């Protein structure tokens, strides 16, 4: 049974939400960050980059303490206010491509994470988990929900649809041309109905935010151990999530760019590939694969299609059948010598929303020797791998929606 609870969100006032909401800090170029920090005193970037005020890069515990100070200043200046009653928040995003995402912002259980009611499909990096856990412990809030997905549910869909007929608490469009809407749900009977529907679900799945989830769980363990009167209802026993139905999730691939051919000539590399793949030279016409186990490759000014030879590869698990894993096991590791997909600086990942020509441009620039494209992972593949307790290679999925920080904030 999946346990979710309503919470008293800290939120920007209606007149300032469009100014406060920000993408993740890393998604901005240095020039974009500088522009927003200089021209918009209400941006959430001022909270997560407190050193801007002193024209200084600040890190570690010193930075975390200053983040907390900036956050408290936003509250003191009533840029942020806190809801008086616990609520769920119906959240809708319509992006620049007219894709719609509809879901519920709620607090989910750290115990569910521990017991695998909340299922994972990606490995996490321990030092990143610990860093973010220490950050959370110092600042005392979380401002970016983890993206979770659940099987489509008619009751929840009906509640969301009915609520969206009312006037939205927020409606704003970003400079990225995404439009965001938020409705507060705080009537006790609706809260109970939503909670009851999620209790019927044996599992929900992390779509995006594995490190944030893991760090929140580590924080829960630390604070639970330090609290002799722990009851399990404390705010630190939960973490903020945006839950959307599986049909609303959009999954894109991550393509791979490799800096060199591991000492092989172009001809020797193609001969190695021929033992595992049927290769067809597509010339200068861009080729994008349309089926599983088909890959595109761009090498030395030409596109190639690679079709996996069934006799050359066997799949024993759900992970073995994943295209990102096949590419790793048949080319990246044995031929190109890339063993550590997370830390090898010879590989770069490019999300599949970008045109296949971006692979060509990066190789033609001389920065990379070869690029590979593949089809996206399906939601069924993602769930099966999670159900089997397996983990995908890093950068197997680029998942939408991408959420804004600072629209709803969870304190603990």
């Amino acid at each position: 049974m999946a346990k979710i609870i309503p919470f008293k969100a800290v939120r920007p006032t209606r007149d300032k939400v469009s100014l406060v909401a920000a993408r993740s800090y890393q998604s901005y170029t240095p020039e974009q960050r500088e522009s927003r920090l200089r021209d918009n005193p209400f941006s959430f970037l001022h909270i997560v980059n407190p050193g801007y005020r002193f024209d200084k890069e600040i890190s570690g515990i010193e930075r975390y303490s200053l983040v907390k100070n900036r956050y408290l200043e936003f509250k003191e200046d009533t840029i942020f206010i806190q809801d008086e009653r616990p609520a769920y928040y119906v959240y809708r995003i319509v992006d620049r491509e007219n894709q719609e995402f509809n879901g519920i912002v709620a607090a989910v259980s750290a115990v569910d994470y521990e017991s695998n009611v909340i299922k994972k499909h990606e490995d996490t990096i321990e030092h990143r988990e610990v860093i973010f856990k220490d950050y959370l412990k110092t600042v005392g809030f979380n401002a970016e929900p983890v993206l979770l997905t659940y099987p489509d549910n008619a009751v929840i869909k009906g509640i969301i649809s009915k609520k969206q007929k009312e006037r939205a608490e927020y409606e704003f469009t970003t400079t990225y041309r995404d439009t965001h809407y938020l409705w507060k749900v705080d009537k006790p009977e609706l809260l109970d109905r939503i909670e009851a529907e999620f209790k019927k679900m044996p599992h929900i799945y992390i779509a995006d935010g594995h490190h944030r989830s893991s760090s929140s769980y580590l924080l829960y363990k630390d604070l639970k151990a330090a609290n002799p009167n722990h009851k399990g209802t404390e705010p630190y026993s939960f973490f903020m999530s945006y839950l959307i139905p599986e049909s609303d999730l959009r999954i894109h691939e991550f393509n791979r760019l490799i800096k060199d051919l591991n000492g092989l000539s172009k001809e020797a590399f193609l001969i190695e590939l021929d033992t595992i793949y049927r290769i067809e030279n597509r010339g200068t016409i861009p080729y994008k694969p349309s089926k599983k186990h088909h890959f595109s490759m761009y090498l030395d000014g030409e596109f190639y299609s690679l079709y996996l030879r069934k006799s050359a590869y066997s799949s024993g698990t759900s992970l073995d059948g994943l295209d990102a894993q096949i590419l790793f096991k048949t080319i990246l590791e044995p031929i190109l010598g890339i063993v550590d997909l997370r830390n090898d600086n010879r590989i770069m990942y490019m999300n599949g929303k970008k045109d296949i020509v971006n692979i060509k441009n990066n190789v033609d620039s001389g920065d990379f020797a070869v690029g590979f494209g593949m089809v996206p992972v399906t939601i069924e593949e993602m769930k099966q791998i999670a159900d089997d307790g397996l983990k995908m290679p890093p950068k197997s999925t680029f998942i939408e929606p991408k959420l804004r920080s600072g629209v709803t904030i969870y304190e603990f």
Side-chain angles (χ1 to χ4, degrees), residues 12 14 17 52 67 69 86 95 119 138 187 193 231 266 306 317 322 387 407:
R14 188 197 296 262
V17 63
Y52 180 78
V67 167
N69 289 347
D95 71 12
K119 294 210 168 189
T138 302
K187 290 183 179 178
R193 285 180 66 197
K231 297 178 181 177
K266 172 185 172 181
L306 307 180
T317 69
L322 193 74
D387 289 344
V407 179

Side-chain angles (χ1 to χ4, degrees), residues 47-100:
I47 293 177
V48 295
N49 186 20
Y52 180 78
R53 179 179 294 182
F54 309 109
D55 195 24
K56 179 183 177 184
E57 287 287 334
I58 301 172
S59 60
I61 294 298
E62 182 182 18
R63 172 178 170 262
Y64 306 161
S65 297
L66 289 176
V67 167
K68 184 173 183 178
N69 289 347
R70 296 293 169 273
Y71 174 66
L72 293 175
E73 289 169 7
F74 270 50
K75 291 181 73 174
E76 290 163 3
D77 294 341
T78 63
I79 298 167
F80 287 143
I81 55 173
Q82 186 166 25
D83 287 325
E84 296 179 358
R85 293 186 296 181
Y88 294 124
Y89 302 88
V90 168
Y91 202 106
R92 181 186 185 206
I93 303 170
V94 181
D95 71 12
R96 62 196 297 168
E97 295 163 354
N98 214 33
Q99 297 181 118
E100 292 190 18

Side-chain angles (χ1 to χ4, degrees), residues 35-53:
S35 171
R36 281 156 177 77
L37 288 164
R38 182 186 65 243
D39 300 332
N40 180 5
F42 302 110
S43 173
F44 194 79
L45 294 176
H46 283 284
I47 293 177
V48 295
N49 186 20
Y52 180 78
R53 179 179 294 182

